[in-house]
Amino acid sequence: MPKKITLTPKDCLYIEDIVTAMAIAIKKTQHECDLVEDKKVDQHLNDLCSRINTQIETLVSIMEGSAS
């Protein structure tokens, strides 16, 4: 069983800032994908967006788990 953690409101604000910055990074990266003509670069950028999205989901999950 995973260890239960307690986040302070300040911790949640930090995580929210990180998630917001990551979402902006995804948006900008997806914009660059539209401009890139090299398929390999496009695939790398899409992979990057996928990994960032997974990290966002993990952070949100941690925040939800701490609220339980």
Side-chain angles (χ1 to χ4, degrees), residues 14-48:
Y14 286 137
I15 293 172
E16 181 182 7
D17 288 346
I18 292 167
V19 168
T20 300
M22 293 168 84
I24 291 169
I26 287 175
K27 188 173 185 176
K28 288 183 177 184
T29 303
Q30 288 172 336
H31 174 70
E32 291 301 319
C33 282
D34 295 339
L35 303 175
V36 169
E37 295 180 11
D38 186 333
K39 294 293 182 192
K40 282 187 177 183
V41 173
D42 183 61
Q43 185 59 45
H44 286 297
L45 291 175
N46 283 319
D47 290 345
L48 175 65

